[in-house]
Amino acid sequence: MTPDIKPLVAGNWKMNGQRDQLDQLALMSKGADAELSQKLDMVVCPPATLLYVATALAEDTGLHVGAQDCHANASGAHTGDVSAEMIADCLAEYCIVGHSERRTDHNESDSDVRSKAQACWRAGLTAIICIGETEAQYDAGQAEAVLSAQLQASVPEGATDQNTIIAYEPVWAIGTGKTPSPEDIEAIHAFLRNELVERLQGPGERMRLLYGGSVKPSNAAELLMINNVDGALVGGASLKAEDLLSICEVYRKV
Ligand code: PGA
């Protein structure tokens, strides 16, 4: 945690979730009670097909809704794509950009991610910008250099603690059950905090720095209490309300 930063836990459903999982969203809305919502911002990012119904279910509750990706343009001839404006029109408030699965499956570059983050801001969404090193880069001791370059190139000028959240997700920790040691996470997050402060000054001090990669109820307490870890981006464990809520509960008593 960082003093004076309200943590945020975002669930990323990826390409999972049909109407029969809407009951999980309803349970999450119910679990995001007033006391818990004071302690953290709880966000769920279902697939685009469920966005509008998700915001309806979350209305007037402590649950917030985000999307998983957006196109850089507001509209036009881009078959199959969804714009940040469309996401905002569904009443969602957040959008993940630059997830490593997008970077890999769709060859998204840092400059694509940067444009998407700008699109989010244009539509009034908060961008959750993901960065992360591969296992080979980690083993070669290149994590900091890789992350610094990604941060520099993916985060647009004008980023503030209001319009941007950074998610550090080691690629090798996503969906694998593996996580870096708490000491490693602390060192990387301290490094990222320094980079943000150097570049953005005050807003860099206040910007939320999430950890993502195999966060689950059993390791949440340990991971979320690390210095400069201001919440989590949760994949697999966010599909069940019980698991996502149990991760969020870590904040109730702090
Ligand atoms: P995981 O995914 O929690 O299933 O490892 C995290 C993510 O990809 O955001």
Side-chain angles (χ1 to χ4, degrees):
M1 298 186 73
T2 312
D4 301 329
I5 294 186
K6 187 179 189 191
L8 179 144
V9 170
N12 170 15
W13 277 19
K14 309 191 180 185
M15 199 170 71
N16 299 294
Q18 301 186 9
R19 283 180 298 154
D20 62 357
Q21 268 112 324
L22 290 173
D23 59 337
Q24 297 304 309
L25 292 177
L27 288 169
M28 286 173 194
S29 306
K30 225 168 137 199
D33 60 51
E35 187 189 56
L36 200 56
S37 310
Q38 266 192 354
K39 297 292 180 84
L40 84 154
D41 290 327
M42 200 190 299
V43 181
V44 63
C45 303
T49 47
L50 295 183
L51 268 186
Y52 192 43
V53 68
T55 58
L57 278 169
E59 197 180 355
D60 296 328
T61 76
L63 183 68
H64 300 267
V65 176
Q68 300 173 12
D69 177 51
C70 66
H71 193 278
N73 293 358
S75 63
H78 303 288
T79 303
D81 279 314
V82 171
S83 72
E85 279 74 5
M86 292 167 170
I87 293 164
D89 187 47
C90 288
L91 306 176
E93 299 165 82
Y94 297 85
C95 182
I96 300 169
V97 293
H99 189 281
S100 73
E101 286 151 16
R102 301 280 325 166
R103 291 177 185 261
T104 307
D105 297 355
H106 299 268
N107 289 319
E108 288 186 8
S109 65
D110 285 326
S111 100
D112 294 329
V113 176
R114 187 187 176 91
S115 305
K116 288 177 179 217
Q118 285 168 324
C120 289
W121 301 350
R122 186 185 65 218
L125 303 173
T126 298
I128 303 177
I129 303 178
C130 302
I131 55 172
E133 82 285 354
T134 63
E135 186 147 38
Q137 290 164 334
Y138 179 80
D139 289 343
Q142 295 167 346
E144 289 190 356
V146 168
L147 294 168
S148 171
Q150 286 182 349
L151 207 56
Q152 198 59 40
S154 304
V155 178
E157 292 310 316
T160 70
D161 50 307
Q162 298 300 309
N163 62 21
T164 301
I165 294 167
I166 306 296
Y168 165 54
E169 299 204 298
V171 177
W172 53 275
I174 296 176
T176 59
K178 291 196 268 185
T179 60
S181 68
E183 295 73 28
D184 274 5
I185 295 176
E186 180 161 359
I188 294 278
H189 276 240
F191 171 79
L192 295 173
R193 175 70 64 207
N194 275 338
E195 295 273 298
L196 288 173
V197 173
E198 242 172 55
R199 180 160 159 211
L200 306 169
Q201 290 82 45
E205 280 169 26
R206 296 185 297 271
M207 191 169 284
R208 290 188 273 205
L209 263 174
L210 312 184
Y211 167 77
S214 297
V215 178
K216 48 192 179 212
S218 58
N219 62 15
E222 185 177 32
L223 298 177
L224 294 178
M225 289 305 123
I226 296 171
N227 283 336
N228 284 307
V229 172
D230 310 312
L233 186 53
V234 184
S238 72
L239 291 169
K240 279 206 190 121
E242 190 187 347
D243 290 345
L244 187 66
L245 288 169
S246 128
I247 291 167
C248 294
E249 284 294 328
V250 166
Y251 290 112
R252 192 184 291 275
K253 290 194 179 63
V254 292

